């Protein structure tokens, strides 16, 4: 096969959780640009439908799904809905996630549990639901969105729950990769650094010292720069990779 052809996602079905905005939206667009039919989820149907409509404007076959990833029954419903609309899911991109800032002494237990419920439990529920169906069909690809925060402590905002949850995502990625490889399922993760999104306004002056200057490239990333990484991990271009954590941080963690 031609090397470039291995990046094609023609005929594939992708489910992107948290795909209505920010990095999730950019990666959903990239997967669709590579040829996949893309189902995007959001906590509200309006947000999911707006994202799906934008994908259709790019010529991408898309489907909107309202989903609360922390609800195991809702996950099963959503997976069934996508499968009924598009056919079996070939690619799961677990992007849904939240972060709550605050010093450890001041963090309410409810905030800690909310972060883990979304970032870890939600990823677990979605991976298990889709992975079980992939195993029955003989394989598939799961891409998890971790973070460089799994290996460093971000400043200036303390956020212990987020850091711990992303470390769990990285280790869960490796655990599932090892266990599901015999089923033909590859599981990898990306570890983004600082990217400019509406939830992460790293272009503001107060973030320059902490989020931009320490990086080797001395800049933040743009969401569109993460899309090609998603294509690589979701496609046959990465066919001999599983259990890998791909860091995309402009060299922030080199120092």
């Amino acid at each position: 096969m031609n090397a470039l052809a291995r990046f094609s996602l023609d005929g594939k079905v992708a489910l992107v959780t948290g795909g209505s905005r920010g990095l999730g939206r950019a990666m959903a667009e990239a997967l669709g640009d590579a040829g996949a039919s893309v189902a995007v989820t959001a906590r509200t149907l309006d947000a999911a439908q707006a994202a799906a409509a934008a994908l259709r404007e790019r010529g991408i076959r898309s489907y909107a799904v309202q989903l609360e990833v922390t609800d195991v029954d809702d996950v099963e419903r959503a997976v069934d809905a996508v499968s009924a609309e598009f056919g079996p899911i070939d690619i799961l991109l677990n992007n849904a996630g939240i972060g709550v800032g605050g010093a450890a002494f001041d963090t309410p237990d409810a905030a800690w549990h909310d972060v883990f419920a979304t970032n870890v439990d939600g990823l677990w529920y979605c991976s298990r639901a889709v992975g079980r169906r992939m195993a029955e069909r003989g394989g598939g690809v799961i891409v998890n969105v971790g973070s460089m925060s799994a290996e460093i402590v971000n400043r200036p905002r303390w956020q212990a729950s987020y850091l711990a949850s992303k470390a769990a995502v990285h280790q869960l990625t490796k655990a599932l990769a090892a266990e599901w490889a015999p089923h033909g399922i590859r599981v990898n993760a990306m570890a983004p650094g600082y990217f400019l999104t509406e939830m992460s306004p790293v272009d503001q002056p107060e973030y320059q010292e902490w989020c931009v200057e320490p990086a080797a490239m001395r800049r933040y990333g743009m969401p569109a720069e993460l899309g090609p990484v998603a294509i690589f991990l979701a496609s046959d271009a990465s066919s001999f990779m599983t259990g890998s954590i791909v860091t995309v941080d402009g060299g922030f963690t080199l120092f």
Side-chain angles (χ1 to χ4, degrees):
M1 179 186 292
N2 178 280
L4 287 178
R6 298 181 69 86
F7 289 87
S8 173
L9 298 177
D10 285 344
K12 301 294 185 180
V13 173
L15 171 60
V16 180
T17 68
S20 66
R21 60 180 179 172
L23 299 182
R25 174 78 161 268
M27 290 186 287
E29 291 175 353
L31 297 182
D33 289 343
S37 299
V38 182
V40 291
T41 82
R43 277 179 164 166
T44 66
L45 185 58
D46 286 347
Q49 289 177 333
L55 292 178
R56 284 191 291 272
E57 290 178 1
R58 295 173 68 98
I60 297 168
R61 187 175 178 226
S62 62
Y63 181 57
V65 185
Q66 182 176 3
L67 172 61
E68 176 50 69
V69 297
T70 65
D71 183 333
V72 65
D73 293 328
D74 204 35
V75 168
E76 294 287 346
R77 174 202 58 78
V79 171
D80 283 341
V82 174
S83 299
E85 180 72 15
F86 281 161
I89 297 168
D90 302 293
I91 301 160
L92 169 64
L93 198 160
N94 282 308
N95 173 71
I98 62 172
V100 177
F105 288 143
D106 301 326
T107 299
D109 289 344
W112 172 274
H113 292 305
D114 285 346
V115 170
F116 267 78
T118 300
N119 297 1
V120 183
D121 294 348
L123 185 147
W124 166 251
Y125 295 151
C126 291
S127 296
R128 186 177 58 184
V130 176
R132 183 180 294 116
R133 292 162 173 83
M134 286 178 172
E136 292 172 354
R137 295 174 53 229
V141 178
I142 297 175
V143 180
N144 298 324
V145 179
S147 174
M148 70 173 185
S149 301
E151 299 181 12
I152 66 166
V153 176
N154 301 93
R155 295 182 297 170
R157 187 178 78 157
W158 302 121
Q159 46 182 345
S161 59
Y162 181 78
L163 274 59
S165 72
K166 289 303 184 178
V169 167
H170 288 194
Q171 192 65 6
L172 181 55
T173 295
K174 295 177 182 181
L176 296 182
E179 185 174 340
W180 291 352
H183 298 291
I185 302 171
R186 295 192 299 110
V187 188
N188 293 295
M190 58 181 73
Y194 289 113
F195 279 78
L196 177 63
T197 67
E198 58 190 70
M199 294 184 64
S200 183
V202 290
D203 59 338
Q204 299 302 304
E206 60 265 33
Y207 292 103
Q208 182 74 20
E209 175 185 358
W210 306 102
C211 304
V212 178
E213 293 179 3
M217 296 179 70
R218 298 182 67 83
R219 68 175 180 88
Y220 48 78
M222 299 301 295
E225 294 181 284
L226 202 58
V229 182
I231 295 173
F232 170 64
L233 292 177
S235 71
D236 286 341
S238 59
S239 58
F240 196 51
M241 289 176 61
T242 197
S244 296
I245 312 298
V246 179
T247 302
V248 190
D249 68 352
F252 191 97
T253 55
L254 292 175
F255 303 107

